[in-house]
Amino acid sequence: GTRALWRGTAPMTFVIPFQNALLFAGYGLGNAWAKSLRGDDAEGGKASSASAFSTYAPVFAGGTLGGIAQSFAVSPFELVKIKQQSAGVGTVNVLQVAKQLGKQLGPGVFSKGLGPTLLRDGIPHGVWFVAYEWSKTQLEARLVDGDGKGKDETDKTPSSQHTAIPLCAGAFAAAVAWGVGYPFDTIKTRIQASAVSNFNSGLTQGKAGEKAALGVWATGRAMVAENNGNVVAGLYRGFNLKLLRAVPASAVAFFVYEESRRWLG
């Protein structure tokens, strides 16, 4: 029934708060580093000098480090998610799936797909935050600067712009970042699906080792070859569906982050 469409959401629901905490902690550190390099004034926040490098390089570094850190938390849960999604009626809960995978294929199964997950969540998350910062700066320059008409008494930015800027910048950032990282997501899913296939076939730890999955680059080449050398068809399959989920999620995430910062001072 319709419940099948939501199969596998439990493990990701559990890990998402930790994932976002690590990501935005990295972004916050990178942003603070960028301000210190620019020599921002403590009161007015105005930079004495602001090169593109000093503005975006620390944000990129913070986002990349946050993405790498969260990869170690996310990858095992995505494996369990794929196992639940591939199961039939009567799917067992998250802990039972994890125990079954570890018992049959060994604890090393939870590292399956970690390599492409690091590639998907490292540099692309640096790109995500840089794209957001750049887009936010461009929007603020066009929407905030001016004669100030319609602005409230407590803030230089109109409340409508408080909403529009992070939403639009967050949506733009998601499209750019997933354009960079999506091929590694596709490769990760293939590698983890192979591990789940070994489980469903009843292979034990030793036999699964004999039927080892291909590495990141070999898997990517195989997927492209399956599509007659078409890189887009091989590595960007399902990209439009990913954007349907990622773009609004990114917009909301940055809006909540900026509002939290504004209210907390």
Side-chain angles (χ1 to χ4, degrees), residues 221-264:
R221 287 195 298 269
M223 294 174 71
V224 172
E226 290 169 7
N227 289 273
N228 300 317
N230 190 324
V231 175
V232 174
L235 300 180
Y236 281 88
R237 183 182 301 166
F239 184 57
N240 55 343
L241 295 176
K242 175 64 74 174
L243 290 182
L244 284 175
R245 179 186 70 84
V247 167
S250 175
V252 171
F254 277 111
F255 170 73
V256 171
Y257 175 77
E258 295 289 2
E259 284 297 295
S260 300
R261 286 184 60 199
R262 188 164 68 93
W263 286 104
L264 293 174

Side-chain angles (χ1 to χ4, degrees), residues 12-169:
M12 299 313 299
T13 301
F14 176 80
V15 77
I16 280 174
F18 300 100
Q19 173 188 6
N20 285 335
L22 289 168
L23 279 176
F24 281 94
Y27 169 62
L29 289 173
N31 213 7
W33 184 17
K35 289 181 179 180
S36 68
L37 288 179
R38 293 197 308 263
D40 283 9
D41 181 80
E43 295 181 1
K46 295 181 180 179
S48 57
S49 61
S51 68
F53 180 84
S54 65
T55 298
Y56 298 119
V59 174
F60 176 80
T64 299
L65 290 174
I68 289 172
Q70 64 105 43
S71 296
F72 292 94
V74 170
S75 184
F77 285 92
E78 290 190 333
L79 176 66
V80 174
K81 178 196 73 173
I82 290 172
K83 172 64 183 82
Q84 285 192 314
Q85 290 176 332
S86 68
V89 179
T91 306
V92 293
N93 65 39
V94 175
L95 291 178
Q96 288 176 312
V97 170
K99 287 180 180 178
Q100 290 174 358
L101 285 168
K103 182 178 180 181
Q104 184 170 322
L105 299 177
V109 70
F110 295 107
S111 66
K112 294 292 184 183
L114 178 59
T117 301
L118 289 168
L119 292 170
R120 179 198 69 182
D121 290 350
I123 290 176
H125 272 105
V127 172
W128 187 44
F129 286 115
V130 168
Y132 173 76
E133 278 296 313
W134 179 84
S135 179
K136 184 178 76 168
T137 300
Q138 297 300 311
L139 289 171
E140 286 176 342
R142 287 163 173 75
L143 299 178
V144 176
D145 293 344
D147 57 12
K149 289 184 179 180
K151 296 181 179 179
D152 60 46
E153 297 178 356
T154 60
D155 196 303
K156 293 183 178 180
T157 308
S159 58
S160 60
Q161 291 170 6
H162 274 306
T163 301
I165 290 174
L167 287 175
C168 293

